[in-house]
Amino acid sequence: MSTEKSLAKGSAAPGPVPKDHIRLYSMRFCPFAQRTRLVLHAKGIKFETINIHLKEKPEWFFQKNPLGLVPVLETPAGEIIYESSITSEYLDEAYPEKKLLPSSAYAKAQQKMMLEHFSKIVPFFYRIPSAKRNGEDVSGMEAELKEKLGKLNEELVQKKTKFFGGDSITMIDYMMWPHFERTEVYGVQNCLDHTPELKKWMGRMMEDPAVKATMFSKEAHEAFYKSFIDGKPDYDYGL
Protein backbone atom coordinates (compact mmCIF):
# COMPACT_ATOMS: atom_id res chain seq x y z
CA MET A 1 0.00 0.00 0.00
CA SER A 2 1.29 3.44 -0.87
CA THR A 3 2.20 5.54 2.15
CA GLU A 4 3.68 8.53 0.33
CA LYS A 5 2.01 11.90 1.01
CA SER A 6 0.64 13.72 -2.01
CA LEU A 7 2.58 16.46 -3.78
CA ALA A 8 0.67 19.68 -4.43
CA LYS A 9 1.09 22.94 -6.30
CA GLY A 10 4.44 24.53 -5.53
CA SER A 11 6.19 21.23 -4.79
CA ALA A 12 9.50 20.47 -6.49
CA ALA A 13 9.50 18.09 -9.44
CA PRO A 14 10.94 14.67 -8.66
CA GLY A 15 14.34 13.64 -10.01
CA PRO A 16 15.09 10.87 -12.53
CA VAL A 17 13.43 7.49 -12.16
CA PRO A 18 15.80 5.03 -10.45
CA LYS A 19 17.38 2.42 -12.71
CA ASP A 20 15.58 -0.95 -12.73
CA HIS A 21 12.40 0.71 -11.45
CA ILE A 22 9.35 2.33 -12.97
CA ARG A 23 7.60 5.31 -11.41
CA LEU A 24 3.86 5.55 -10.85
CA TYR A 25 2.14 8.88 -10.39
CA SER A 26 -0.98 8.01 -8.46
CA MET A 27 -3.58 9.01 -5.90
CA ARG A 28 -4.10 6.60 -3.03
CA PHE A 29 -7.90 6.39 -3.28
CA CYS A 30 -8.29 6.61 -7.07
CA PRO A 31 -9.93 3.42 -8.47
CA PHE A 32 -8.36 3.99 -11.90
CA ALA A 33 -4.85 4.35 -10.49
CA GLN A 34 -5.53 1.23 -8.42
CA ARG A 35 -5.85 -0.72 -11.65
CA THR A 36 -2.24 0.07 -12.47
CA ARG A 37 -1.10 -0.63 -8.91
CA LEU A 38 -2.81 -4.03 -9.06
CA VAL A 39 -0.90 -4.92 -12.23
CA LEU A 40 2.41 -3.71 -10.78
CA HIS A 41 1.93 -5.85 -7.67
CA ALA A 42 0.59 -8.89 -9.55
CA LYS A 43 3.59 -8.92 -11.88
CA GLY A 44 6.13 -8.21 -9.13
CA ILE A 45 7.49 -5.10 -10.87
CA LYS A 46 9.83 -2.83 -8.89
CA PHE A 47 8.24 0.60 -8.74
CA GLU A 48 8.15 3.80 -6.78
CA THR A 49 5.03 5.87 -6.16
CA ILE A 50 4.55 9.62 -6.27
CA ASN A 51 1.07 10.63 -5.13
CA ILE A 52 -0.50 13.72 -6.64
CA HIS A 53 -2.84 16.19 -4.93
CA LEU A 54 -5.52 16.17 -7.62
CA LYS A 55 -7.23 19.36 -6.44
CA GLU A 56 -4.03 21.41 -6.30
CA LYS A 57 -1.85 19.67 -8.89
CA PRO A 58 1.85 20.53 -9.11
CA GLU A 59 2.62 22.62 -12.18
CA TRP A 60 5.24 20.12 -13.37
CA PHE A 61 2.69 17.28 -13.37
CA PHE A 62 1.04 18.67 -16.54
CA GLN A 63 4.34 18.01 -18.32
CA LYS A 64 3.87 14.34 -17.44
CA ASN A 65 0.22 14.24 -18.46
CA PRO A 66 -1.39 17.31 -20.11
CA LEU A 67 -4.78 15.95 -18.94
CA GLY A 68 -3.63 16.24 -15.33
CA LEU A 69 -4.98 12.80 -14.46
CA VAL A 70 -3.57 9.69 -12.77
CA PRO A 71 -2.32 7.03 -13.29
CA VAL A 72 0.86 7.97 -15.14
CA LEU A 73 3.94 5.78 -15.61
CA GLU A 74 7.45 7.11 -16.17
CA THR A 75 10.42 4.94 -17.12
CA PRO A 76 14.13 5.58 -16.36
CA ALA A 77 14.43 6.64 -20.04
CA GLY A 78 11.84 9.38 -19.44
CA GLU A 79 9.08 7.62 -21.38
CA ILE A 80 5.58 8.62 -20.23
CA ILE A 81 2.46 6.44 -20.42
CA TYR A 82 -0.96 7.37 -19.02
CA GLU A 83 -4.59 6.18 -18.79
CA SER A 84 -5.40 3.15 -16.62
CA SER A 85 -6.02 0.49 -19.29
CA ILE A 86 -3.13 1.73 -21.45
CA THR A 87 -0.64 1.74 -18.56
CA SER A 88 -1.78 -1.72 -17.53
CA GLU A 89 -1.41 -3.17 -21.02
CA TYR A 90 1.99 -1.46 -21.39
CA LEU A 91 3.21 -3.13 -18.19
CA ASP A 92 2.01 -6.53 -19.39
CA GLU A 93 3.98 -6.14 -22.63
CA ALA A 94 7.09 -4.44 -21.21
CA TYR A 95 7.39 -7.00 -18.39
CA PRO A 96 6.38 -10.26 -20.09
CA GLU A 97 6.87 -12.46 -17.02
CA LYS A 98 3.52 -13.62 -15.64
CA LYS A 99 1.32 -12.39 -18.47
CA LEU A 100 -2.09 -11.08 -17.44
CA LEU A 101 -3.55 -10.69 -20.92
CA PRO A 102 -4.23 -13.89 -22.90
CA SER A 103 -1.90 -14.76 -25.78
CA SER A 104 -4.75 -15.46 -28.21
CA ALA A 105 -5.69 -12.36 -30.22
CA TYR A 106 -9.38 -13.28 -29.94
CA ALA A 107 -9.28 -13.85 -26.18
CA LYS A 108 -7.44 -10.54 -25.78
CA ALA A 109 -10.11 -8.80 -27.87
CA GLN A 110 -12.82 -10.41 -25.74
CA GLN A 111 -11.29 -8.92 -22.58
CA LYS A 112 -11.13 -5.47 -24.20
CA MET A 113 -14.76 -5.74 -25.28
CA MET A 114 -15.76 -6.74 -21.75
CA LEU A 115 -13.87 -3.75 -20.37
CA GLU A 116 -15.75 -1.53 -22.83
CA HIS A 117 -19.04 -2.93 -21.51
CA PHE A 118 -17.85 -2.40 -17.94
CA SER A 119 -16.98 1.23 -18.74
CA LYS A 120 -20.73 1.76 -19.28
CA ILE A 121 -21.40 0.49 -15.73
CA VAL A 122 -18.86 2.72 -13.95
CA PRO A 123 -20.88 5.99 -14.23
CA PHE A 124 -23.71 4.44 -12.20
CA PHE A 125 -21.36 4.10 -9.22
CA TYR A 126 -21.10 7.89 -9.19
CA ARG A 127 -24.53 8.97 -10.44
CA ILE A 128 -26.56 6.95 -7.92
CA PRO A 129 -24.92 8.29 -4.73
CA SER A 130 -24.94 11.82 -6.19
CA ALA A 131 -28.67 11.59 -6.95
CA LYS A 132 -29.36 10.18 -3.46
CA ARG A 133 -27.59 13.15 -1.86
CA ASN A 134 -29.79 15.46 -3.92
CA GLY A 135 -32.91 13.65 -2.73
CA GLU A 136 -33.71 12.33 -6.21
CA ASP A 137 -35.47 9.08 -7.03
CA VAL A 138 -32.79 6.53 -7.96
CA SER A 139 -35.04 3.50 -8.53
CA GLY A 140 -34.68 3.73 -12.32
CA MET A 141 -30.89 3.97 -12.19
CA GLU A 142 -30.69 1.15 -9.66
CA ALA A 143 -32.85 -1.06 -11.88
CA GLU A 144 -30.53 -0.37 -14.81
CA LEU A 145 -27.43 -1.08 -12.73
CA LYS A 146 -28.97 -4.34 -11.44
CA GLU A 147 -29.61 -5.39 -15.04
CA LYS A 148 -26.02 -4.64 -16.07
CA LEU A 149 -24.54 -6.42 -13.04
CA GLY A 150 -26.88 -9.33 -13.74
CA LYS A 151 -25.29 -9.67 -17.18
CA LEU A 152 -21.83 -9.84 -15.58
CA ASN A 153 -23.15 -12.51 -13.24
CA GLU A 154 -24.53 -14.44 -16.23
CA GLU A 155 -21.11 -14.21 -17.90
CA LEU A 156 -19.60 -16.17 -14.99
CA VAL A 157 -22.50 -18.65 -15.00
CA GLN A 158 -22.04 -19.39 -18.69
CA LYS A 159 -18.26 -19.62 -18.51
CA LYS A 160 -18.36 -21.83 -15.39
CA THR A 161 -15.05 -20.25 -14.31
CA LYS A 162 -13.89 -18.65 -11.07
CA PHE A 163 -12.78 -15.44 -12.79
CA PHE A 164 -13.76 -13.57 -15.94
CA GLY A 165 -10.82 -14.84 -17.98
CA GLY A 166 -10.74 -18.41 -16.67
CA ASP A 167 -9.91 -20.13 -13.38
CA SER A 168 -7.08 -17.74 -12.53
CA ILE A 169 -7.04 -13.95 -12.34
CA THR A 170 -6.31 -12.13 -15.58
CA MET A 171 -6.23 -8.49 -16.65
CA ILE A 172 -10.00 -8.01 -16.92
CA ASP A 173 -10.49 -8.98 -13.27
CA TYR A 174 -7.99 -6.35 -12.14
CA MET A 175 -9.58 -3.72 -14.41
CA MET A 176 -13.00 -4.25 -12.84
CA TRP A 177 -12.06 -4.88 -9.21
CA PRO A 178 -11.42 -1.34 -7.88
CA HIS A 179 -15.02 -0.23 -8.36
CA PHE A 180 -16.36 -3.41 -6.76
CA GLU A 181 -14.12 -2.75 -3.76
CA ARG A 182 -16.09 0.48 -3.30
CA THR A 183 -19.68 -0.77 -3.76
CA GLU A 184 -20.54 -0.29 -0.07
CA VAL A 185 -19.08 3.21 -0.09
CA TYR A 186 -21.10 4.07 -3.21
CA GLY A 187 -24.20 2.66 -1.49
CA VAL A 188 -25.00 0.30 -4.37
CA GLN A 189 -24.35 -3.07 -2.71
CA ASN A 190 -28.10 -3.80 -2.84
CA CYS A 191 -27.73 -3.96 -6.63
CA LEU A 192 -25.66 -7.12 -6.11
CA ASP A 193 -28.45 -8.97 -4.26
CA HIS A 194 -29.31 -11.25 -7.18
CA THR A 195 -25.78 -11.87 -8.46
CA PRO A 196 -24.50 -14.90 -6.49
CA GLU A 197 -21.65 -15.74 -8.88
CA LEU A 198 -20.48 -12.13 -8.95
CA LYS A 199 -20.44 -12.11 -5.14
CA LYS A 200 -18.35 -15.31 -5.15
CA TRP A 201 -15.97 -13.63 -7.62
CA MET A 202 -15.64 -10.68 -5.25
CA GLY A 203 -14.82 -13.06 -2.39
CA ARG A 204 -12.12 -14.76 -4.46
CA MET A 205 -10.66 -11.41 -5.53
CA MET A 206 -10.31 -10.33 -1.90
CA GLU A 207 -8.00 -13.31 -1.32
CA ASP A 208 -5.61 -12.24 -4.09
CA PRO A 209 -2.22 -10.91 -2.85
CA ALA A 210 -2.24 -7.93 -5.26
CA VAL A 211 -5.75 -6.96 -4.15
CA LYS A 212 -4.74 -7.26 -0.49
CA ALA A 213 -1.68 -5.08 -1.17
CA THR A 214 -3.70 -2.28 -2.77
CA MET A 215 -7.04 -2.24 -0.98
CA PHE A 216 -8.26 0.04 1.80
CA SER A 217 -10.71 -0.75 4.57
CA LYS A 218 -14.34 0.26 4.20
CA GLU A 219 -13.75 2.84 6.95
CA ALA A 220 -10.82 4.44 5.08
CA HIS A 221 -12.79 4.55 1.83
CA GLU A 222 -15.76 6.12 3.61
CA ALA A 223 -13.60 8.75 5.33
CA PHE A 224 -11.96 9.76 2.06
CA TYR A 225 -15.26 9.71 0.17
CA LYS A 226 -16.88 11.98 2.75
CA SER A 227 -13.99 14.45 2.52
CA PHE A 228 -14.27 14.32 -1.28
CA ILE A 229 -18.01 15.04 -1.22
CA ASP A 230 -17.46 17.88 1.26
CA GLY A 231 -15.16 19.49 -1.31
CA LYS A 232 -12.01 19.04 0.77
CA PRO A 233 -10.55 15.69 -0.36
CA ASP A 234 -8.12 14.31 2.21
CA TYR A 235 -5.69 12.58 -0.14
CA ASP A 236 -3.38 11.82 2.78
CA TYR A 237 -6.06 10.31 5.03
CA GLY A 238 -4.54 7.86 7.51
CA LEU A 239 -0.92 8.93 6.97
Side-chain angles (χ1 to χ4, degrees):
M1 189 181 295
S2 170
T3 56
E4 296 80 2
K5 290 198 172 186
S6 58
L7 299 185
K9 189 179 289 186
S11 65
V17 179
K19 189 182 174 187
D20 300 326
H21 279 63
I22 195 163
R23 177 179 290 158
L24 171 69
Y25 296 93
S26 184
M27 189 278 273
R28 293 165 66 237
F29 294 97
C30 173
F32 297 98
Q34 188 181 356
R35 287 175 167 177
T36 312
R37 291 192 291 125
L38 282 163
V39 172
L40 286 161
H41 280 281
K43 293 177 73 69
I45 298 167
K46 291 179 182 176
F47 71 100
E48 66 169 21
T49 304
I50 291 180
N51 287 312
I52 301 297
H53 193 296
L54 294 179
K55 199 163 187 183
E56 297 176 13
K57 298 163 189 171
E59 297 83 353
W60 51 261
F61 183 60
F62 290 94
Q63 295 171 14
K64 309 294 181 186
N65 182 357
L67 301 173
L69 301 173
V70 294
V72 178
L73 292 174
E74 184 175 8
T75 71
E79 299 161 325
I80 299 288
I81 307 100
Y82 48 83
E83 293 294 318
S84 62
S85 60
I86 296 171
T87 54
S88 299
E89 187 171 348
Y90 166 81
L91 290 170
D92 206 42
E93 289 184 12
Y95 299 85
E97 305 81 10
K98 195 184 176 186
K99 293 286 280 185
L100 293 173
L101 278 166
S103 53
S104 150
Y106 178 60
K108 199 179 293 183
Q110 282 183 308
Q111 291 216 0
K112 291 181 179 182
M113 288 187 289
M114 189 179 294
L115 184 58
E116 188 63 27
H117 280 291
F118 183 69
S119 72
K120 305 298 188 288
I121 294 176
V122 169
F124 286 90
F125 294 135
Y126 300 100
R127 286 180 197 152
I128 290 173
S130 176
K132 281 181 181 175
R133 287 194 302 275
N134 294 332
E136 298 170 21
D137 177 20
V138 297
S139 56
M141 280 192 284
E142 286 186 337
E144 202 172 337
L145 178 57
K146 284 176 184 175
E147 182 193 356
K148 290 179 184 297
L149 293 174
K151 287 179 180 175
L152 281 181
N153 186 76
E154 189 58 31
E155 187 90 24
L156 288 170
V157 170
Q158 289 180 1
K159 287 183 173 177
K160 295 185 174 69
T161 56
K162 293 177 181 177
F163 300 97
F164 282 97
D167 283 324
S168 59
I169 294 178
T170 58
M171 185 69 81
I172 187 62
D173 301 292
Y174 285 136
M175 295 299 99
M176 294 197 293
W177 170 253
H179 286 93
F180 282 98
E181 183 178 313
R182 294 159 173 78
T183 49
E184 282 192 76
V185 181
Y186 297 144
V188 297
Q189 66 271 34
N190 60 305
C191 296
L192 290 160
D193 285 349
H194 303 293
T195 58
E197 294 307 314
L198 199 50
K199 283 183 172 180
K200 287 178 193 172
W201 170 81
M202 289 173 70
R204 293 184 193 111
M205 289 298 290
M206 289 180 78
E207 294 303 311
D208 178 66
V211 168
K212 287 181 177 179
T214 61
M215 77 183 298
F216 283 96
S217 67
K218 179 192 168 193
E219 293 71 28
H221 276 306
E222 285 178 339
F224 172 74
Y225 194 57
K226 184 180 184 306
S227 74
F228 179 77
I229 287 165
D230 291 343
K232 297 177 181 176
D234 186 359
Y235 298 114
D236 298 332
Y237 174 81
L239 296 182

